[in-house]
Amino acid sequence: MKKSYIAIILVVLAFFIFLAEGPFYVVDEGSQTVTTRMGRIVNTHTQAGLYMKAPFIDKITTYPARILSLEGDSERIPTKENQFIIVDTTSRWRISDPALFYQSFKTLEGAYIKLSDVIDSATRTIITRNRLSEIVRSSNIINEKTAAQNSSLSGIADDESAEIEALLNVSNQNENVSKGRTRLCDEMTEEARKMMGEFGIELIDIVPRQIKYSDELTESVYNRMIKERNQVAQAYRSLGEGKKAEWLGKLENEKRTIESEAYKVSEETKGKADAEAAAIYAESYSRDPKFYEFWKSLESYKTTMGTFDTTYSTKLDYFKYLYSSGGNR
């Protein structure tokens, strides 16, 4: 009797232990699982739901089924022009085959290490093959806008722009882009996929999160920008000085033209006045010659007498009106 009770107790205890270990497990939404038995993969589940396992024997490893991201480390990479830049990348990936992923990495940490190495290598490979402009720009819209702005300027402005460019001996046209950053991102992704192999991972994309100059290149770029701005400023000063000299020359020519015209008019006016005066004098002389001679003598005295320092004789015909009321000596 006692043995039967003990057996029942053991059966009940075993049942509770069986339930406690759990013959069932749940796969949540956004998760996927790999079931291993004695280290061998026996099953995988990628859909949410309730599933069975062998207690004490099966081990369940859960992986995320959603898209994951990986933030790369900052890398110092040379471009095709041998200009060093600092590149930070971010990438998106997901586990496409949980069984293969388990065989390759077992843990997410191992996958992150491998992905980071592959993405860094692909990024370096693509960037070193291309110019800096291809990496930082996605299109030639900046050139199109510049051309549109230049075409909207007036003819004078175009002439001045041409003069500025001639003084600078450079063009304000930016380098044309043949691929662009978007295309290079696709090339990075394709290059990384080639190196990934069969790891049960789907690499979705690689995107440069930040691109900046290295420290030594930053100073060189700033110095070049300062030099270019100073060159542009000097070009504008030279153009301004040239325009100033041009306008001063025009002003001087106009001044001379005006003075010449004014002198011409004044001489014509003086000529007319002298002619009128001569006509008046002639008419006066014809009416009363003696009074005219007397008046002219007085006018002459006003002009000449103040300049005489010494007079040695007044018995000249010139002084006849000055010392004789009758106009005789």
Side-chain angles (χ1 to χ4, degrees), residues 12-281:
V12 172
L13 183 60
F15 178 74
F16 278 109
I17 292 174
F18 178 79
L19 292 177
E21 176 60 23
F24 303 101
Y25 67 95
V26 176
V27 178
D28 296 327
E29 195 71 40
S31 298
Q32 52 190 341
T33 62
V34 175
T35 304
T36 56
R37 184 175 298 162
M38 307 299 290
R40 182 172 60 89
I41 298 174
V42 295
N43 206 348
T44 60
H45 295 288
T46 58
Q47 299 295 325
L50 181 64
Y51 299 94
M52 291 187 65
K53 68 175 181 174
F56 305 105
I57 301 176
D58 291 348
K59 181 181 178 182
I60 307 300
T61 303
T62 303
Y63 298 119
R66 64 184 183 277
I67 294 177
L68 305 173
S69 64
L70 174 62
E71 304 297 334
D73 298 328
S74 297
E75 282 194 283
R76 186 172 179 268
I77 305 175
T79 63
K80 188 175 182 180
E81 310 98 315
N82 203 30
Q83 295 180 347
F84 283 88
I85 57 176
I86 307 299
V87 181
D88 293 338
T89 60
T90 181
S91 56
R92 297 185 301 166
W93 64 283
R94 68 182 184 88
I95 300 172
S96 58
D97 189 335
L100 191 56
F101 182 85
Y102 180 86
Q103 292 176 351
S104 303
F105 305 109
K106 290 187 173 59
T107 63
L108 286 175
E109 287 74 16
Y112 277 123
I113 294 173
K114 179 65 176 178
L115 269 173
S116 181
D117 292 340
V118 169
I119 291 172
D120 290 347
S121 178
T123 302
R124 180 177 293 274
T125 299
I126 299 302
I127 288 180
T128 53
R129 295 176 183 172
N130 293 275
R131 295 175 285 109
L132 179 62
S133 57
E134 301 282 353
I135 301 166
V136 299
R137 289 166 51 197
S138 296
S139 67
N140 291 310
I141 189 171
I142 185 172
N143 291 342
E144 295 170 1
K145 287 185 176 180
T146 301
Q149 291 173 353
N150 291 340
S151 63
S152 65
L153 296 176
S154 63
I156 296 177
D158 287 339
D159 293 342
E160 292 182 354
S161 299
E163 291 182 30
I164 290 293
E165 289 188 7
L167 290 171
L168 295 175
N169 196 25
V170 295
S171 173
N172 59 0
Q173 184 74 8
N174 292 282
E175 191 174 11
N176 285 325
V177 173
S178 59
K179 294 182 179 179
R181 184 171 56 193
T182 303
R183 173 76 178 278
L184 293 187
C185 290
D186 293 339
E187 291 185 4
M188 292 177 195
T189 305
E190 291 299 325
E191 185 71 20
R193 286 172 182 165
K194 294 177 184 178
M195 295 185 287
M196 283 298 298
E198 296 296 330
F199 294 135
I201 291 176
E202 179 189 356
L203 182 61
I204 299 174
D205 58 19
I206 301 173
V207 179
R209 182 180 57 186
Q210 177 179 313
I211 299 175
K212 63 180 180 180
Y213 292 119
S214 58
D215 293 339
E216 63 273 15
L217 186 58
T218 299
E219 183 176 358
S220 174
V221 170
Y222 286 163
N223 290 335
R224 187 184 69 204
M225 292 172 64
I226 292 172
K227 181 180 178 181
E228 289 178 354
R229 292 301 94 194
N230 288 336
Q231 188 178 4
V232 171
Q234 185 58 42
Y236 275 106
R237 292 191 189 99
S238 299
L239 179 62
E241 291 296 329
K243 293 295 182 181
K244 175 184 175 182
E246 179 182 347
W247 283 105
L248 286 177
K250 290 180 179 179
L251 179 64
E252 186 65 25
N253 289 336
E254 291 180 1
K255 176 183 175 183
R256 290 176 180 175
T257 301
I258 293 172
E259 288 179 346
S260 176
E261 186 67 24
Y263 179 77
K264 175 184 176 182
V265 172
S266 66
E267 290 300 314
E268 290 177 353
T269 304
K270 287 180 180 178
K272 291 179 180 180
D274 290 341
E276 292 179 3
I280 293 172
Y281 289 145

